Amino acid sequence: MRIKNFLFQSFAQIFFPIFLVLFFVASVVIFIRIASVTFVVKITFFELLSLYFYTLPIMIFFVIPLSFFIACVLGLSRLSFDYELPVLFALGMNPQIIMKVFLPIALLASFSLLVLSLVLAPLSDVAYRQFLEERKNSININLQAGEFGQKLGEWLVYVQKRNKDKNVYENIVLLSLAKRKDKEKGGLIFAKEAKISNLNGTMEVTLKDGKVYRKPNENVERIGFDRLILRNTINVLDKSDLGLIEYWKRAFYPNSRQEKTKRNLSMYILLSLFPLISLFYYPFLGIKNPRYQKNYTILQAMVVVGIFYALMYLCASYIPLIGLVLLPTAWVISGYWLYRRYIGRFY
């Protein structure tokens, strides 16, 4: 029991600082990503926090596996170079005891990651996309004069000047982002004035004195107008997307999001299993002989993590379903072989 508490304390002393640092870095990246939304959509501070909380499950999901692996390896490495593990081995302790101590923690970590990735992440993803769609189609549009790359529904927008009335713009250009097969929506629009208003929950853009260029066939049509009204209804997500079963079922039948859903499903499960299937790598990388080995533990751990992440990405991209079995099996076998060859036969 004392050895178990001793090893767990060594793990905890490294895990929580690493987790907090990575969590802070990830939070900064997320806030930068959310801040980019404000270039198009006006949101309040509390709405910004809402978007941040929507991203928390997936952010924590990616931080925990890396923190867990590094903490296990560095915890054992520190004990090795402080001559505490060599003393325990000299007193008769076996490396298998270390794996027995880390096994329940790894099981808990993998189970928590599965809940985060397969339950909370889909719900937060749907809520995040729904929130953005509603805000993008609301009247709180934040178009900036002279800036490129701004979106207004299915249109790419450029405005030259903004009037004192915050919803009236001068010399506006709209380029359709609709697919070519949708000929009615395609085209390029120039107008001298545009006014954005909210009509019963539908965004309405009234254009005055302009021209429309479109290509319904091989010829280009030019249509002049004195007044043109564009309406963009809120792109509400299908209610079936709100169910977890329906969300992941898209990976198994043809649809527009099948490949992405299949890739995410494979990647989430593989990364969730990472703490558990890496059990043999903890003593392999962490147990050192301080008299004959130098401390390259951090570099070695990052190389192993990089290899797993690269293999995970390749499997999720090209063999997502087969990779769910192939990669964990190969990873456990290789870890066991390295453990037996470099650790098991010496301690």
Side-chain angles (χ1 to χ4, degrees):
M1 181 62 68
R2 289 183 178 180
I3 294 178
K4 179 179 179 180
N5 294 335
F6 178 68
L7 293 175
F8 180 77
Q9 183 180 7
S10 178
F11 161 80
Q13 288 175 349
I14 297 179
F15 173 79
F16 290 106
I18 292 178
F19 175 82
L20 292 176
V21 170
L22 293 178
F23 182 81
F24 174 77
V25 173
S27 297
V28 172
V29 174
I30 292 299
F31 272 118
I32 293 174
R33 176 190 172 190
I34 294 175
S36 64
V37 176
T38 61
F39 287 112
V40 179
V41 179
K42 293 180 181 179
I43 59 176
T44 65
F45 176 75
F46 292 103
E47 290 172 337
L48 186 143
L49 288 180
S50 298
L51 288 177
Y52 172 75
F53 285 118
Y54 288 150
T55 62
L56 271 182
I58 195 66
M59 182 172 62
I60 295 175
F61 169 73
F62 281 103
V63 170
I64 287 180
L66 182 59
S67 304
F68 187 91
F69 186 90
I70 298 298
C72 289
V73 172
L74 290 186
L76 294 177
S77 176
R78 187 178 68 175
L79 294 178
S80 295
F81 285 95
D82 287 344
Y83 289 90
E84 294 177 344
L85 275 186
V87 171
L88 292 176
F89 291 143
L91 295 176
M93 190 186 78
N94 193 291
Q96 294 181 1
I97 296 178
I98 296 176
M99 290 188 292
K100 290 180 180 179
V101 172
F102 284 135
L103 178 59
I105 310 174
L107 282 171
L108 178 62
S110 291
F111 176 77
S112 301
L113 290 171
L114 285 172
V115 173
L116 281 172
S117 59
L118 300 182
V119 178
L120 297 181
L123 295 178
S124 62
D125 175 57
V126 171
Y128 183 89
R129 290 190 290 118
Q130 181 69 65
F131 178 87
L132 287 185
E133 289 296 335
E134 291 177 353
R135 299 305 295 172
K136 287 180 181 179
N137 289 278
S138 69
I139 190 60
N140 293 317
I141 301 298
N142 189 25
L143 296 179
Q144 300 296 326
E147 292 188 5
F148 295 92
Q150 303 178 93
K151 290 184 179 180
L152 190 63
E154 295 182 345
W155 298 87
L156 195 64
V157 181
Y158 172 81
V159 294
Q160 187 180 46
K161 184 179 178 181
R162 184 173 183 173
N163 286 352
K164 294 181 180 179
D165 186 343
K166 63 180 181 179
N167 293 321
V168 177
Y169 304 88
E170 294 182 5
N171 297 329
I172 185 170
V173 181
L174 297 96
L175 175 64
S176 174
L177 298 177
K179 297 181 180 179
R180 292 178 60 89
K181 64 180 181 179
D182 195 348
K183 300 176 182 179
E184 296 298 325
K185 294 183 180 180
L188 180 65
I189 300 178
F190 297 89
K192 291 186 177 181
E193 183 180 292
K195 181 177 180 180
I196 302 176
S197 56
N198 195 339
L199 182 64
N200 298 325
T202 300
M203 183 183 65
E204 181 179 276
V205 182
T206 303
L207 303 173
K208 296 181 180 180
D209 192 10
K211 295 180 176 61
V212 177
Y213 295 86
R214 65 174 189 167
K215 190 177 181 181
N217 45 50
E218 295 183 356
N219 299 321
V220 178
E221 292 183 353
R222 186 181 71 174
I223 305 173
F225 62 87
D226 294 327
R227 187 168 179 264
L228 176 65
I229 297 177
L230 299 176
R231 292 190 178 96
N232 191 32
T233 57
I234 296 176
N235 186 20
V236 181
L237 299 177
D238 188 359
K239 292 183 179 180
S240 62
D241 290 342
L242 300 178
L244 291 175
I245 297 178
E246 291 77 11
Y247 185 94
W248 292 119
K249 277 175 62 177
R250 294 180 301 182
F252 302 99
Y253 65 87
N255 60 86
S256 60
R257 298 178 61 87
Q258 181 183 18
E259 294 301 323
K260 183 177 181 180
T261 305
K262 190 184 300 184
R263 182 175 65 251
N264 288 343
L265 177 63
S266 178
M267 188 177 299
Y268 288 171
I269 293 178
L270 290 175
L271 193 55
S272 298
L273 296 177
F274 180 54
L276 183 60
I277 62 178
S278 299
L279 196 61
F280 291 108
Y281 287 90
Y282 305 146
F284 165 66
L285 296 174
I287 297 178
K288 305 288 185 182
N289 189 324
R291 294 188 61 186
Y292 303 105
Q293 294 177 287
K294 295 184 178 180
N295 192 0
Y296 297 125
T297 308
I298 296 179
L299 178 61
Q300 294 169 346
M302 295 307 297
V303 169
V304 172
V305 170
I307 292 174
F308 179 84
Y309 275 56
L311 293 176
M312 177 187 67
Y313 177 79
L314 292 174
C315 290
S317 300
Y318 299 102
I319 49 172
L321 299 182
I322 299 177
L324 290 176
V325 178
L326 181 62
L327 180 56
T329 303
W331 193 253
V332 170
I333 292 175
S334 61
Y336 178 75
W337 181 82
L338 291 171
Y339 165 78
R340 293 297 302 172
R341 179 176 177 84
Y342 295 101
I343 301 298
R345 65 174 181 169
F346 295 113
Y347 297 96

